[in-house]
Amino acid sequence: MDSVFLQGDTIEAILDDSPKKKHLYEIPIIKAEDFKVSSDTLLTISIGDNKVRKMISEKISAKFHTVIHPKAILSEYSSIGEGTVVMAGAIVNPDSVVGKHCIINTGAVIDHDCNIGDYAHISPNASLAGDVKVGEGTHVGIGASVIQGVTIGKWAVIGAGSVVLKDVEDYAVVVGNPGRIIKYTEK
């Protein structure tokens, strides 16, 4: 939320399917079904689950707002997709491309020439060396490290603290140092 406020934007409402509160920071929380989306509505989907974020973005016809915390460092030669959120302390270096509706979390490092697919989540303090490819919907866990030139397939999960030294297949779950596949997620 502070990313939005510090960027100078305002929040009209927070949508939640099961609101437990009526307000957060004096912003009304309403059921998603009670919110009327118009063609000029500007939305940010701040749900951590990559599949749910994708489902919502495909279901709603609206403009999606990209949120970049003012203390994030983005190269002017990088590209950030619509609806993506870049948190404080994150670094995106030159010639990197971040897809739409991604989360680049606090302190994450995306080095030069990386390509992050739509709906991916790069967790706090995860580090991607140069020329890393991350597929659609993949989650790179907190503190994970990926060496240069590695390709991680779509909808994969890289466990917290894992060290990825070689390419990862679609839907693989990788843990450990060095990272190894322990199972596959459902397609």
Side-chain angles (χ1 to χ4, degrees):
M1 286 258 238
D2 71 336
S3 294
V4 174
F5 296 139
L6 290 170
Q7 190 170 287
D9 296 323
T10 58
I11 299 174
E12 291 182 38
I14 298 168
L15 309 183
D16 193 327
D17 287 337
S18 304
K20 293 175 180 64
K21 301 179 186 179
K22 292 191 183 278
H23 291 87
L24 180 65
Y25 306 116
E26 299 181 24
I27 301 165
I29 301 173
I30 60 176
K31 286 187 175 188
E33 63 196 37
D34 295 338
F35 186 74
K36 304 299 180 237
V37 178
S38 68
S39 61
D40 61 339
T41 300
L42 196 57
L43 297 175
T44 301
I45 304 169
S46 57
I47 295 172
D49 185 307
N50 298 348
K51 290 178 184 172
V52 172
R53 210 166 49 255
K54 180 178 182 179
M55 180 188 69
I56 291 171
S57 74
E58 290 176 342
K59 188 189 293 189
I60 296 175
S61 178
K63 295 179 198 168
F64 291 101
H65 185 49
T66 300
V67 177
I68 299 172
H69 193 285
K71 292 197 176 179
I73 300 170
L74 275 65
S75 167
E76 65 180 281
Y77 302 106
S78 64
S79 171
I80 307 295
E82 76 168 353
T84 287
V85 178
V86 182
M87 303 296 191
I91 299 171
V92 181
N93 278 321
D95 301 319
S96 288
V97 176
V98 177
K100 62 183 183 178
H101 299 288
C102 293
I103 297 172
I104 309 302
N105 224 315
T106 309
V109 175
I110 298 173
D111 215 334
H112 64 89
D113 300 294
C114 289
N115 191 315
I116 311 302
D118 298 342
Y119 311 104
H121 182 165
I122 311 301
S123 292
N125 296 318
S127 294
L128 309 181
D131 196 33
V132 169
K133 312 284 185 281
V134 175
E136 177 184 273
T138 287
H139 184 174
V140 177
I142 190 167
S145 299
V146 182
I147 68 164
Q148 68 277 359
V150 165
T151 296
I152 301 171
K154 62 184 178 183
W155 300 101
V157 176
I158 307 301
S162 295
V163 177
V164 180
L165 303 174
K166 59 185 182 179
D167 291 353
V168 174
E169 300 171 42
D170 294 349
Y171 305 100
V173 177
V174 172
V175 298
N177 179 5
R180 65 191 186 295
I181 296 172
I182 60 165
K183 65 180 182 177
Y184 291 87
T185 61
E186 293 181 28
K187 297 180 182 181

